[in-house]
Amino acid sequence: IGFCDGPVKVDFFFQEAEPAADPWLRDGFRALVDRDGLADRVRRALAAEPPPPDLSDFDVHAWDWLWAMHLKLRRPGHEWLVYVEQVKFVETMLLTAFNALGPEPWRGVLRVDERLPAATRSELVNALPARPEEAELRRALSAAVDSYLALRPRLAAERNMPLAEEVAQQVLGVLRPGRERWTRSAR
């Protein structure tokens, strides 16, 4: 990465093999030297529909992460750790899930206010903890579980995400004791 004087940031890279058509390049790129016509080939590849995101381990990872935060909340002095992990869960799992259901699944956090509906943004904000205090962390964790429970059937139906039902049942049995059995169609 080369930083130039002023507001310009330029990424320089060297790659021996032909680069993959990374969807981030759809925002634009400029080849400074292109003797072999690589830029045109990349532009043509970018015009094709990008492959769907790989969600093969997504569900089990989400439940593992939620379980780990629950366990850490039971240990005094871990509030800041859970606070940071909860923020990362919202970005890495919830936002990734919402993005996977949209037309540009690679986007991440860029231009969320432009790309996602107000209700979705509100749901994401609700799952963020306001402060690293136990009660607030538990509220945010519960909101994250609610959000993920609503997303996972859609991810399974629309993106063929495999559901880790046994893991989900075990985690929910602890996070939500006494509630009805959770199924694929739950909330």
mmCIF file with all atom_site columns, all heavy atoms in Angstrom, residues 57-81:
data_model
loop_
_atom_site.group_PDB
_atom_site.id
_atom_site.type_symbol
_atom_site.label_atom_id
_atom_site.label_alt_id
_atom_site.label_comp_id
_atom_site.label_asym_id
_atom_site.label_entity_id
_atom_site.label_seq_id
_atom_site.pdbx_PDB_ins_code
_atom_site.Cartn_x
_atom_site.Cartn_y
_atom_site.Cartn_z
_atom_site.occupancy
_atom_site.B_iso_or_equiv
_atom_site.pdbx_formal_charge
_atom_site.auth_seq_id
_atom_site.auth_comp_id
_atom_site.auth_asym_id
_atom_site.auth_atom_id
_atom_site.pdbx_PDB_model_num
ATOM 1   N N   . ASP A 1 57 ? -20.059 -23.329 7.169  1.00 0.00 ? 57 ASP A N   1
ATOM 2   C CA  . ASP A 1 57 ? -19.842 -23.427 8.620  1.00 0.00 ? 57 ASP A CA  1
ATOM 3   C C   . ASP A 1 57 ? -20.424 -22.239 9.381  1.00 0.00 ? 57 ASP A C   1
ATOM 4   O O   . ASP A 1 57 ? -20.150 -22.057 10.566 1.00 0.00 ? 57 ASP A O   1
ATOM 5   C CB  . ASP A 1 57 ? -18.343 -23.529 8.922  1.00 0.00 ? 57 ASP A CB  1
ATOM 6   C CG  . ASP A 1 57 ? -17.737 -24.804 8.386  1.00 0.00 ? 57 ASP A CG  1
ATOM 7   O OD1 . ASP A 1 57 ? -18.426 -25.841 8.432  1.00 0.00 ? 57 ASP A OD1 1
ATOM 8   O OD2 . ASP A 1 57 ? -16.584 -24.762 7.924  1.00 0.00 ? 57 ASP A OD2 1
ATOM 9   N N   . PHE A 1 58 ? -21.183 -21.424 8.716  1.00 0.00 ? 58 PHE A N   1
ATOM 10  C CA  . PHE A 1 58 ? -21.669 -20.174 9.300  1.00 0.00 ? 58 PHE A CA  1
ATOM 11  C C   . PHE A 1 58 ? -22.563 -20.409 10.518 1.00 0.00 ? 58 PHE A C   1
ATOM 12  O O   . PHE A 1 58 ? -22.374 -19.786 11.565 1.00 0.00 ? 58 PHE A O   1
ATOM 13  C CB  . PHE A 1 58 ? -22.430 -19.373 8.230  1.00 0.00 ? 58 PHE A CB  1
ATOM 14  C CG  . PHE A 1 58 ? -22.652 -17.940 8.586  1.00 0.00 ? 58 PHE A CG  1
ATOM 15  C CD1 . PHE A 1 58 ? -21.673 -16.997 8.359  1.00 0.00 ? 58 PHE A CD1 1
ATOM 16  C CD2 . PHE A 1 58 ? -23.861 -17.521 9.126  1.00 0.00 ? 58 PHE A CD2 1
ATOM 17  C CE1 . PHE A 1 58 ? -21.871 -15.660 8.668  1.00 0.00 ? 58 PHE A CE1 1
ATOM 18  C CE2 . PHE A 1 58 ? -24.082 -16.193 9.447  1.00 0.00 ? 58 PHE A CE2 1
ATOM 19  C CZ  . PHE A 1 58 ? -23.080 -15.263 9.214  1.00 0.00 ? 58 PHE A CZ  1
ATOM 20  N N   . ASP A 1 59 ? -23.526 -21.305 10.408 1.00 0.00 ? 59 ASP A N   1
ATOM 21  C CA  . ASP A 1 59 ? -24.483 -21.524 11.496 1.00 0.00 ? 59 ASP A CA  1
ATOM 22  C C   . ASP A 1 59 ? -23.790 -22.052 12.750 1.00 0.00 ? 59 ASP A C   1
ATOM 23  O O   . ASP A 1 59 ? -23.999 -21.535 13.848 1.00 0.00 ? 59 ASP A O   1
ATOM 24  C CB  . ASP A 1 59 ? -25.590 -22.476 11.043 1.00 0.00 ? 59 ASP A CB  1
ATOM 25  C CG  . ASP A 1 59 ? -26.798 -22.464 11.973 1.00 0.00 ? 59 ASP A CG  1
ATOM 26  O OD1 . ASP A 1 59 ? -27.238 -21.370 12.381 1.00 0.00 ? 59 ASP A OD1 1
ATOM 27  O OD2 . ASP A 1 59 ? -27.306 -23.546 12.287 1.00 0.00 ? 59 ASP A OD2 1
ATOM 28  N N   . VAL A 1 60 ? -22.963 -23.053 12.584 1.00 0.00 ? 60 VAL A N   1
ATOM 29  C CA  . VAL A 1 60 ? -22.283 -23.613 13.756 1.00 0.00 ? 60 VAL A CA  1
ATOM 30  C C   . VAL A 1 60 ? -21.351 -22.571 14.380 1.00 0.00 ? 60 VAL A C   1
ATOM 31  O O   . VAL A 1 60 ? -21.220 -22.486 15.606 1.00 0.00 ? 60 VAL A O   1
ATOM 32  C CB  . VAL A 1 60 ? -21.550 -24.933 13.419 1.00 0.00 ? 60 VAL A CB  1
ATOM 33  C CG1 . VAL A 1 60 ? -20.294 -24.712 12.601 1.00 0.00 ? 60 VAL A CG1 1
ATOM 34  C CG2 . VAL A 1 60 ? -21.241 -25.710 14.678 1.00 0.00 ? 60 VAL A CG2 1
ATOM 35  N N   . HIS A 1 61 ? -20.731 -21.748 13.555 1.00 0.00 ? 61 HIS A N   1
ATOM 36  C CA  . HIS A 1 61 ? -19.847 -20.704 14.071 1.00 0.00 ? 61 HIS A CA  1
ATOM 37  C C   . HIS A 1 61 ? -20.641 -19.658 14.867 1.00 0.00 ? 61 HIS A C   1
ATOM 38  O O   . HIS A 1 61 ? -20.192 -19.198 15.921 1.00 0.00 ? 61 HIS A O   1
ATOM 39  C CB  . HIS A 1 61 ? -19.082 -20.045 12.926 1.00 0.00 ? 61 HIS A CB  1
ATOM 40  C CG  . HIS A 1 61 ? -18.061 -19.063 13.361 1.00 0.00 ? 61 HIS A CG  1
ATOM 41  N ND1 . HIS A 1 61 ? -17.044 -19.357 14.240 1.00 0.00 ? 61 HIS A ND1 1
ATOM 42  C CD2 . HIS A 1 61 ? -17.901 -17.759 13.054 1.00 0.00 ? 61 HIS A CD2 1
ATOM 43  C CE1 . HIS A 1 61 ? -16.302 -18.283 14.456 1.00 0.00 ? 61 HIS A CE1 1
ATOM 44  N NE2 . HIS A 1 61 ? -16.810 -17.294 13.744 1.00 0.00 ? 61 HIS A NE2 1
ATOM 45  N N   . ALA A 1 62 ? -21.817 -19.289 14.372 1.00 0.00 ? 62 ALA A N   1
ATOM 46  C CA  . ALA A 1 62 ? -22.648 -18.316 15.089 1.00 0.00 ? 62 ALA A CA  1
ATOM 47  C C   . ALA A 1 62 ? -23.015 -18.841 16.479 1.00 0.00 ? 62 ALA A C   1
ATOM 48  O O   . ALA A 1 62 ? -22.905 -18.121 17.477 1.00 0.00 ? 62 ALA A O   1
ATOM 49  C CB  . ALA A 1 62 ? -23.903 -18.000 14.287 1.00 0.00 ? 62 ALA A CB  1
ATOM 50  N N   . TRP A 1 63 ? -23.461 -20.094 16.545 1.00 0.00 ? 63 TRP A N   1
ATOM 51  C CA  . TRP A 1 63 ? -23.855 -20.655 17.848 1.00 0.00 ? 63 TRP A CA  1
ATOM 52  C C   . TRP A 1 63 ? -22.665 -20.797 18.777 1.00 0.00 ? 63 TRP A C   1
ATOM 53  O O   . TRP A 1 63 ? -22.773 -20.562 19.984 1.00 0.00 ? 63 TRP A O   1
ATOM 54  C CB  . TRP A 1 63 ? -24.583 -21.987 17.650 1.00 0.00 ? 63 TRP A CB  1
ATOM 55  C CG  . TRP A 1 63 ? -25.889 -21.783 16.976 1.00 0.00 ? 63 TRP A CG  1
ATOM 56  C CD1 . TRP A 1 63 ? -26.265 -22.251 15.758 1.00 0.00 ? 63 TRP A CD1 1
ATOM 57  C CD2 . TRP A 1 63 ? -26.987 -20.999 17.458 1.00 0.00 ? 63 TRP A CD2 1
ATOM 58  N NE1 . TRP A 1 63 ? -27.532 -21.816 15.452 1.00 0.00 ? 63 TRP A NE1 1
ATOM 59  C CE2 . TRP A 1 63 ? -28.004 -21.041 16.485 1.00 0.00 ? 63 TRP A CE2 1
ATOM 60  C CE3 . TRP A 1 63 ? -27.219 -20.259 18.619 1.00 0.00 ? 63 TRP A CE3 1
ATOM 61  C CZ2 . TRP A 1 63 ? -29.216 -20.386 16.629 1.00 0.00 ? 63 TRP A CZ2 1
ATOM 62  C CZ3 . TRP A 1 63 ? -28.427 -19.599 18.766 1.00 0.00 ? 63 TRP A CZ3 1
ATOM 63  C CH2 . TRP A 1 63 ? -29.409 -19.664 17.785 1.00 0.00 ? 63 TRP A CH2 1
ATOM 64  N N   . ASP A 1 64 ? -21.519 -21.165 18.230 1.00 0.00 ? 64 ASP A N   1
ATOM 65  C CA  . ASP A 1 64 ? -20.310 -21.272 19.042 1.00 0.00 ? 64 ASP A CA  1
ATOM 66  C C   . ASP A 1 64 ? -19.950 -19.910 19.639 1.00 0.00 ? 64 ASP A C   1
ATOM 67  O O   . ASP A 1 64 ? -19.605 -19.789 20.817 1.00 0.00 ? 64 ASP A O   1
ATOM 68  C CB  . ASP A 1 64 ? -19.172 -21.811 18.177 1.00 0.00 ? 64 ASP A CB  1
ATOM 69  C CG  . ASP A 1 64 ? -17.859 -21.891 18.928 1.00 0.00 ? 64 ASP A CG  1
ATOM 70  O OD1 . ASP A 1 64 ? -17.833 -22.499 20.016 1.00 0.00 ? 64 ASP A OD1 1
ATOM 71  O OD2 . ASP A 1 64 ? -16.856 -21.348 18.430 1.00 0.00 ? 64 ASP A OD2 1
ATOM 72  N N   . TRP A 1 65 ? -20.049 -18.873 18.830 1.00 0.00 ? 65 TRP A N   1
ATOM 73  C CA  . TRP A 1 65 ? -19.706 -17.526 19.273 1.00 0.00 ? 65 TRP A CA  1
ATOM 74  C C   . TRP A 1 65 ? -20.692 -17.050 20.346 1.00 0.00 ? 65 TRP A C   1
ATOM 75  O O   . TRP A 1 65 ? -20.291 -16.483 21.366 1.00 0.00 ? 65 TRP A O   1
ATOM 76  C CB  . TRP A 1 65 ? -19.721 -16.596 18.078 1.00 0.00 ? 65 TRP A CB  1
ATOM 77  C CG  . TRP A 1 65 ? -18.960 -15.315 18.236 1.00 0.00 ? 65 TRP A CG  1
ATOM 78  C CD1 . TRP A 1 65 ? -18.688 -14.633 19.380 1.00 0.00 ? 65 TRP A CD1 1
ATOM 79  C CD2 . TRP A 1 65 ? -18.376 -14.558 17.188 1.00 0.00 ? 65 TRP A CD2 1
ATOM 80  N NE1 . TRP A 1 65 ? -17.997 -13.494 19.110 1.00 0.00 ? 65 TRP A NE1 1
ATOM 81  C CE2 . TRP A 1 65 ? -17.783 -13.428 17.764 1.00 0.00 ? 65 TRP A CE2 1
ATOM 82  C CE3 . TRP A 1 65 ? -18.316 -14.722 15.809 1.00 0.00 ? 65 TRP A CE3 1
ATOM 83  C CZ2 . TRP A 1 65 ? -17.132 -12.457 17.015 1.00 0.00 ? 65 TRP A CZ2 1
ATOM 84  C CZ3 . TRP A 1 65 ? -17.661 -13.752 15.069 1.00 0.00 ? 65 TRP A CZ3 1
ATOM 85  C CH2 . TRP A 1 65 ? -17.072 -12.642 15.656 1.00 0.00 ? 65 TRP A CH2 1
ATOM 86  N N   . LEU A 1 66 ? -21.982 -17.262 20.123 1.00 0.00 ? 66 LEU A N   1
ATOM 87  C CA  . LEU A 1 66 ? -22.993 -16.864 21.114 1.00 0.00 ? 66 LEU A CA  1
ATOM 88  C C   . LEU A 1 66 ? -22.786 -17.611 22.429 1.00 0.00 ? 66 LEU A C   1
ATOM 89  O O   . LEU A 1 66 ? -22.889 -17.029 23.513 1.00 0.00 ? 66 LEU A O   1
ATOM 90  C CB  . LEU A 1 66 ? -24.395 -17.111 20.559 1.00 0.00 ? 66 LEU A CB  1
ATOM 91  C CG  . LEU A 1 66 ? -24.805 -16.205 19.397 1.00 0.00 ? 66 LEU A CG  1
ATOM 92  C CD1 . LEU A 1 66 ? -26.031 -16.765 18.679 1.00 0.00 ? 66 LEU A CD1 1
ATOM 93  C CD2 . LEU A 1 66 ? -25.040 -14.777 19.876 1.00 0.00 ? 66 LEU A CD2 1
ATOM 94  N N   . TRP A 1 67 ? -22.482 -18.899 22.341 1.00 0.00 ? 67 TRP A N   1
ATOM 95  C CA  . TRP A 1 67 ? -22.224 -19.704 23.538 1.00 0.00 ? 67 TRP A CA  1
ATOM 96  C C   . TRP A 1 67 ? -20.999 -19.172 24.294 1.00 0.00 ? 67 TRP A C   1
ATOM 97  O O   . TRP A 1 67 ? -21.023 -19.034 25.516 1.00 0.00 ? 67 TRP A O   1
ATOM 98  C CB  . TRP A 1 67 ? -22.028 -21.165 23.134 1.00 0.00 ? 67 TRP A CB  1
ATOM 99  C CG  . TRP A 1 67 ? -21.637 -22.056 24.263 1.00 0.00 ? 67 TRP A CG  1
ATOM 100 C CD1 . TRP A 1 67 ? -20.423 -22.649 24.458 1.00 0.00 ? 67 TRP A CD1 1
ATOM 101 C CD2 . TRP A 1 67 ? -22.447 -22.453 25.368 1.00 0.00 ? 67 TRP A CD2 1
ATOM 102 N NE1 . TRP A 1 67 ? -20.444 -23.397 25.598 1.00 0.00 ? 67 TRP A NE1 1
ATOM 103 C CE2 . TRP A 1 67 ? -21.678 -23.299 26.182 1.00 0.00 ? 67 TRP A CE2 1
ATOM 104 C CE3 . TRP A 1 67 ? -23.759 -22.170 25.736 1.00 0.00 ? 67 TRP A CE3 1
ATOM 105 C CZ2 . TRP A 1 67 ? -22.160 -23.864 27.352 1.00 0.00 ? 67 TRP A CZ2 1
ATOM 106 C CZ3 . TRP A 1 67 ? -24.245 -22.746 26.903 1.00 0.00 ? 67 TRP A CZ3 1
ATOM 107 C CH2 . TRP A 1 67 ? -23.463 -23.573 27.695 1.00 0.00 ? 67 TRP A CH2 1
ATOM 108 N N   . ALA A 1 68 ? -19.932 -18.865 23.579 1.00 0.00 ? 68 ALA A N   1
ATOM 109 C CA  . ALA A 1 68 ? -18.711 -18.359 24.210 1.00 0.00 ? 68 ALA A CA  1
ATOM 110 C C   . ALA A 1 68 ? -18.978 -17.040 24.926 1.00 0.00 ? 68 ALA A C   1
ATOM 111 O O   . ALA A 1 68 ? -18.501 -16.827 26.049 1.00 0.00 ? 68 ALA A O   1
ATOM 112 C CB  . ALA A 1 68 ? -17.602 -18.199 23.168 1.00 0.00 ? 68 ALA A CB  1
ATOM 113 N N   . MET A 1 69 ? -19.758 -16.161 24.319 1.00 0.00 ? 69 MET A N   1
ATOM 114 C CA  . MET A 1 69 ? -20.062 -14.884 24.989 1.00 0.00 ? 69 MET A CA  1
ATOM 115 C C   . MET A 1 69 ? -20.888 -15.131 26.246 1.00 0.00 ? 69 MET A C   1
ATOM 116 O O   . MET A 1 69 ? -20.665 -14.489 27.280 1.00 0.00 ? 69 MET A O   1
ATOM 117 C CB  . MET A 1 69 ? -20.773 -13.924 24.030 1.00 0.00 ? 69 MET A CB  1
ATOM 118 C CG  . MET A 1 69 ? -19.840 -13.334 22.999 1.00 0.00 ? 69 MET A CG  1
ATOM 119 S SD  . MET A 1 69 ? -20.573 -11.990 22.022 1.00 0.00 ? 69 MET A SD  1
ATOM 120 C CE  . MET A 1 69 ? -21.789 -12.870 21.066 1.00 0.00 ? 69 MET A CE  1
ATOM 121 N N   . HIS A 1 70 ? -21.832 -16.054 26.170 1.00 0.00 ? 70 HIS A N   1
ATOM 122 C CA  . HIS A 1 70 ? -22.634 -16.388 27.349 1.00 0.00 ? 70 HIS A CA  1
ATOM 123 C C   . HIS A 1 70 ? -21.734 -16.878 28.486 1.00 0.00 ? 70 HIS A C   1
ATOM 124 O O   . HIS A 1 70 ? -21.891 -16.455 29.635 1.00 0.00 ? 70 HIS A O   1
ATOM 125 C CB  . HIS A 1 70 ? -23.667 -17.458 26.984 1.00 0.00 ? 70 HIS A CB  1
ATOM 126 C CG  . HIS A 1 70 ? -24.310 -18.100 28.167 1.00 0.00 ? 70 HIS A CG  1
ATOM 127 N ND1 . HIS A 1 70 ? -25.270 -17.460 28.920 1.00 0.00 ? 70 HIS A ND1 1
ATOM 128 C CD2 . HIS A 1 70 ? -24.102 -19.311 28.745 1.00 0.00 ? 70 HIS A CD2 1
ATOM 129 C CE1 . HIS A 1 70 ? -25.635 -18.262 29.911 1.00 0.00 ? 70 HIS A CE1 1
ATOM 130 N NE2 . HIS A 1 70 ? -24.945 -19.380 29.821 1.00 0.00 ? 70 HIS A NE2 1
ATOM 131 N N   . LEU A 1 71 ? -20.798 -17.763 28.175 1.00 0.00 ? 71 LEU A N   1
ATOM 132 C CA  . LEU A 1 71 ? -19.901 -18.282 29.210 1.00 0.00 ? 71 LEU A CA  1
ATOM 133 C C   . LEU A 1 71 ? -19.026 -17.182 29.804 1.00 0.00 ? 71 LEU A C   1
ATOM 134 O O   . LEU A 1 71 ? -18.817 -17.136 31.023 1.00 0.00 ? 71 LEU A O   1
ATOM 135 C CB  . LEU A 1 71 ? -19.011 -19.392 28.643 1.00 0.00 ? 71 LEU A CB  1
ATOM 136 C CG  . LEU A 1 71 ? -19.701 -20.703 28.298 1.00 0.00 ? 71 LEU A CG  1
ATOM 137 C CD1 . LEU A 1 71 ? -18.696 -21.685 27.698 1.00 0.00 ? 71 LEU A CD1 1
ATOM 138 C CD2 . LEU A 1 71 ? -20.386 -21.297 29.519 1.00 0.00 ? 71 LEU A CD2 1
ATOM 139 N N   . LYS A 1 72 ? -18.532 -16.296 28.972 1.00 0.00 ? 72 LYS A N   1
ATOM 140 C CA  . LYS A 1 72 ? -17.671 -15.213 29.455 1.00 0.00 ? 72 LYS A CA  1
ATOM 141 C C   . LYS A 1 72 ? -18.445 -14.238 30.326 1.00 0.00 ? 72 LYS A C   1
ATOM 142 O O   . LYS A 1 72 ? -17.883 -13.639 31.239 1.00 0.00 ? 72 LYS A O   1
ATOM 143 C CB  . LYS A 1 72 ? -17.002 -14.510 28.285 1.00 0.00 ? 72 LYS A CB  1
ATOM 144 C CG  . LYS A 1 72 ? -15.953 -15.391 27.627 1.00 0.00 ? 72 LYS A CG  1
ATOM 145 C CD  . LYS A 1 72 ? -15.443 -14.806 26.339 1.00 0.00 ? 72 LYS A CD  1
ATOM 146 C CE  . LYS A 1 72 ? -14.529 -15.819 25.673 1.00 0.00 ? 72 LYS A CE  1
ATOM 147 N NZ  . LYS A 1 72 ? -14.250 -15.492 24.298 1.00 0.00 ? 72 LYS A NZ  1
ATOM 148 N N   . LEU A 1 73 ? -19.737 -14.068 30.055 1.00 0.00 ? 73 LEU A N   1
ATOM 149 C CA  . LEU A 1 73 ? -20.555 -13.181 30.890 1.00 0.00 ? 73 LEU A CA  1
ATOM 150 C C   . LEU A 1 73 ? -20.725 -13.734 32.303 1.00 0.00 ? 73 LEU A C   1
ATOM 151 O O   . LEU A 1 73 ? -21.058 -12.991 33.218 1.00 0.00 ? 73 LEU A O   1
ATOM 152 C CB  . LEU A 1 73 ? -21.933 -12.976 30.258 1.00 0.00 ? 73 LEU A CB  1
ATOM 153 C CG  . LEU A 1 73 ? -22.053 -11.800 29.326 1.00 0.00 ? 73 LEU A CG  1
ATOM 154 C CD1 . LEU A 1 73 ? -23.424 -11.765 28.672 1.00 0.00 ? 73 LEU A CD1 1
ATOM 155 C CD2 . LEU A 1 73 ? -21.781 -10.500 30.046 1.00 0.00 ? 73 LEU A CD2 1
ATOM 156 N N   . ARG A 1 74 ? -20.515 -15.007 32.472 1.00 0.00 ? 74 ARG A N   1
ATOM 157 C CA  . ARG A 1 74 ? -20.637 -15.618 33.798 1.00 0.00 ? 74 ARG A CA  1
ATOM 158 C C   . ARG A 1 74 ? -19.389 -15.402 34.639 1.00 0.00 ? 74 ARG A C   1
ATOM 159 O O   . ARG A 1 74 ? -19.379 -15.742 35.821 1.00 0.00 ? 74 ARG A O   1
ATOM 160 C CB  . ARG A 1 74 ? -20.920 -17.118 33.641 1.00 0.00 ? 74 ARG A CB  1
ATOM 161 C CG  . ARG A 1 74 ? -22.256 -17.369 32.933 1.00 0.00 ? 74 ARG A CG  1
ATOM 162 C CD  . ARG A 1 74 ? -22.458 -18.804 32.564 1.00 0.00 ? 74 ARG A CD  1
ATOM 163 N NE  . ARG A 1 74 ? -22.514 -19.623 33.766 1.00 0.00 ? 74 ARG A NE  1
ATOM 164 C CZ  . ARG A 1 74 ? -22.423 -20.945 33.760 1.00 0.00 ? 74 ARG A CZ  1
ATOM 165 N NH1 . ARG A 1 74 ? -22.270 -21.585 32.629 1.00 0.00 ? 74 ARG A NH1 1
ATOM 166 N NH2 . ARG A 1 74 ? -22.488 -21.622 34.884 1.00 0.00 ? 74 ARG A NH2 1
ATOM 167 N N   . ARG A 1 75 ? -18.343 -14.854 34.047 1.00 0.00 ? 75 ARG A N   1
ATOM 168 C CA  . ARG A 1 75 ? -17.071 -14.632 34.748 1.00 0.00 ? 75 ARG A CA  1
ATOM 169 C C   . ARG A 1 75 ? -16.887 -13.143 35.031 1.00 0.00 ? 75 ARG A C   1
ATOM 170 O O   . ARG A 1 75 ? -16.779 -12.349 34.099 1.00 0.00 ? 75 ARG A O   1
ATOM 171 C CB  . ARG A 1 75 ? -15.917 -15.139 33.898 1.00 0.00 ? 75 ARG A CB  1
ATOM 172 C CG  . ARG A 1 75 ? -15.962 -16.625 33.684 1.00 0.00 ? 75 ARG A CG  1
ATOM 173 C CD  . ARG A 1 75 ? -14.731 -17.072 32.932 1.00 0.00 ? 75 ARG A CD  1
ATOM 174 N NE  . ARG A 1 75 ? -14.749 -18.511 32.801 1.00 0.00 ? 75 ARG A NE  1
ATOM 175 C CZ  . ARG A 1 75 ? -14.441 -19.155 31.703 1.00 0.00 ? 75 ARG A CZ  1
ATOM 176 N NH1 . ARG A 1 75 ? -14.067 -18.482 30.642 1.00 0.00 ? 75 ARG A NH1 1
ATOM 177 N NH2 . ARG A 1 75 ? -14.471 -20.462 31.670 1.00 0.00 ? 75 ARG A NH2 1
ATOM 178 N N   . PRO A 1 76 ? -16.839 -12.768 36.291 1.00 0.00 ? 76 PRO A N   1
ATOM 179 C CA  . PRO A 1 76 ? -16.601 -11.355 36.611 1.00 0.00 ? 76 PRO A CA  1
ATOM 180 C C   . PRO A 1 76 ? -15.287 -10.865 35.992 1.00 0.00 ? 76 PRO A C   1
ATOM 181 O O   . PRO A 1 76 ? -14.310 -11.603 35.932 1.00 0.00 ? 76 PRO A O   1
ATOM 182 C CB  . PRO A 1 76 ? -16.529 -11.338 38.140 1.00 0.00 ? 76 PRO A CB  1
ATOM 183 C CG  . PRO A 1 76 ? -17.243 -12.584 38.572 1.00 0.00 ? 76 PRO A CG  1
ATOM 184 C CD  . PRO A 1 76 ? -17.004 -13.593 37.486 1.00 0.00 ? 76 PRO A CD  1
ATOM 185 N N   . GLY A 1 77 ? -15.319 -9.655  35.520 1.00 0.00 ? 77 GLY A N   1
ATOM 186 C CA  . GLY A 1 77 ? -14.127 -9.061  34.929 1.00 0.00 ? 77 GLY A CA  1
ATOM 187 C C   . GLY A 1 77 ? -13.998 -9.284  33.431 1.00 0.00 ? 77 GLY A C   1
ATOM 188 O O   . GLY A 1 77 ? -13.051 -8.803  32.813 1.00 0.00 ? 77 GLY A O   1
ATOM 189 N N   . HIS A 1 78 ? -14.938 -9.985  32.819 1.00 0.00 ? 78 HIS A N   1
ATOM 190 C CA  . HIS A 1 78 ? -14.874 -10.247 31.384 1.00 0.00 ? 78 HIS A CA  1
ATOM 191 C C   . HIS A 1 78 ? -15.807 -9.332  30.578 1.00 0.00 ? 78 HIS A C   1
ATOM 192 O O   . HIS A 1 78 ? -16.012 -9.551  29.381 1.00 0.00 ? 78 HIS A O   1
ATOM 193 C CB  . HIS A 1 78 ? -15.228 -11.714 31.101 1.00 0.00 ? 78 HIS A CB  1
ATOM 194 C CG  . HIS A 1 78 ? -14.119 -12.650 31.415 1.00 0.00 ? 78 HIS A CG  1
ATOM 195 N ND1 . HIS A 1 78 ? -13.792 -13.023 32.696 1.00 0.00 ? 78 HIS A ND1 1
ATOM 196 C CD2 . HIS A 1 78 ? -13.249 -13.281 30.604 1.00 0.00 ? 78 HIS A CD2 1
ATOM 197 C CE1 . HIS A 1 78 ? -12.785 -13.860 32.665 1.00 0.00 ? 78 HIS A CE1 1
ATOM 198 N NE2 . HIS A 1 78 ? -12.421 -14.033 31.408 1.00 0.00 ? 78 HIS A NE2 1
ATOM 199 N N   . GLU A 1 79 ? -16.351 -8.316  31.220 1.00 0.00 ? 79 GLU A N   1
ATOM 200 C CA  . GLU A 1 79 ? -17.334 -7.461  30.548 1.00 0.00 ? 79 GLU A CA  1
ATOM 201 C C   . GLU A 1 79 ? -16.750 -6.773  29.310 1.00 0.00 ? 79 GLU A C   1
ATOM 202 O O   . GLU A 1 79 ? -17.414 -6.706  28.277 1.00 0.00 ? 79 GLU A O   1
ATOM 203 C CB  . GLU A 1 79 ? -17.909 -6.424  31.518 1.00 0.00 ? 79 GLU A CB  1
ATOM 204 C CG  . GLU A 1 79 ? -18.749 -7.021  32.620 1.00 0.00 ? 79 GLU A CG  1
ATOM 205 C CD  . GLU A 1 79 ? -17.930 -7.564  33.788 1.00 0.00 ? 79 GLU A CD  1
ATOM 206 O OE1 . GLU A 1 79 ? -16.702 -7.324  33.845 1.00 0.00 ? 79 GLU A OE1 1
ATOM 207 O OE2 . GLU A 1 79 ? -18.534 -8.237  34.651 1.00 0.00 ? 79 GLU A OE2 1
ATOM 208 N N   . TRP A 1 80 ? -15.542 -6.243  29.410 1.00 0.00 ? 80 TRP A N   1
ATOM 209 C CA  . TRP A 1 80 ? -14.960 -5.561  28.256 1.00 0.00 ? 80 TRP A CA  1
ATOM 210 C C   . TRP A 1 80 ? -14.700 -6.536  27.110 1.00 0.00 ? 80 TRP A C   1
ATOM 211 O O   . TRP A 1 80 ? -14.896 -6.208  25.933 1.00 0.00 ? 80 TRP A O   1
ATOM 212 C CB  . TRP A 1 80 ? -13.660 -4.833  28.636 1.00 0.00 ? 80 TRP A CB  1
ATOM 213 C CG  . TRP A 1 80 ? -13.947 -3.450  29.120 1.00 0.00 ? 80 TRP A CG  1
ATOM 214 C CD1 . TRP A 1 80 ? -14.049 -3.041  30.412 1.00 0.00 ? 80 TRP A CD1 1
ATOM 215 C CD2 . TRP A 1 80 ? -14.210 -2.304  28.314 1.00 0.00 ? 80 TRP A CD2 1
ATOM 216 N NE1 . TRP A 1 80 ? -14.356 -1.706  30.466 1.00 0.00 ? 80 TRP A NE1 1
ATOM 217 C CE2 . TRP A 1 80 ? -14.458 -1.224  29.187 1.00 0.00 ? 80 TRP A CE2 1
ATOM 218 C CE3 . TRP A 1 80 ? -14.265 -2.079  26.946 1.00 0.00 ? 80 TRP A CE3 1
ATOM 219 C CZ2 . TRP A 1 80 ? -14.741 0.054   28.730 1.00 0.00 ? 80 TRP A CZ2 1
ATOM 220 C CZ3 . TRP A 1 80 ? -14.542 -0.798  26.497 1.00 0.00 ? 80 TRP A CZ3 1
ATOM 221 C CH2 . TRP A 1 80 ? -14.782 0.247   27.392 1.00 0.00 ? 80 TRP A CH2 1
ATOM 222 N N   . LEU A 1 81 ? -14.275 -7.739  27.441 1.00 0.00 ? 81 LEU A N   1
ATOM 223 C CA  . LEU A 1 81 ? -14.048 -8.745  26.421 1.00 0.00 ? 81 LEU A CA  1
ATOM 224 C C   . LEU A 1 81 ? -15.357 -9.074  25.692 1.00 0.00 ? 81 LEU A C   1
ATOM 225 O O   . LEU A 1 81 ? -15.409 -9.120  24.461 1.00 0.00 ? 81 LEU A O   1
ATOM 226 C CB  . LEU A 1 81 ? -13.461 -10.013 27.048 1.00 0.00 ? 81 LEU A CB  1
ATOM 227 C CG  . LEU A 1 81 ? -13.254 -11.204 26.121 1.00 0.00 ? 81 LEU A CG  1
ATOM 228 C CD1 . LEU A 1 81 ? -12.315 -10.859 24.980 1.00 0.00 ? 81 LEU A CD1 1
ATOM 229 C CD2 . LEU A 1 81 ? -12.742 -12.391 26.913 1.00 0.00 ? 81 LEU A CD2 1
#
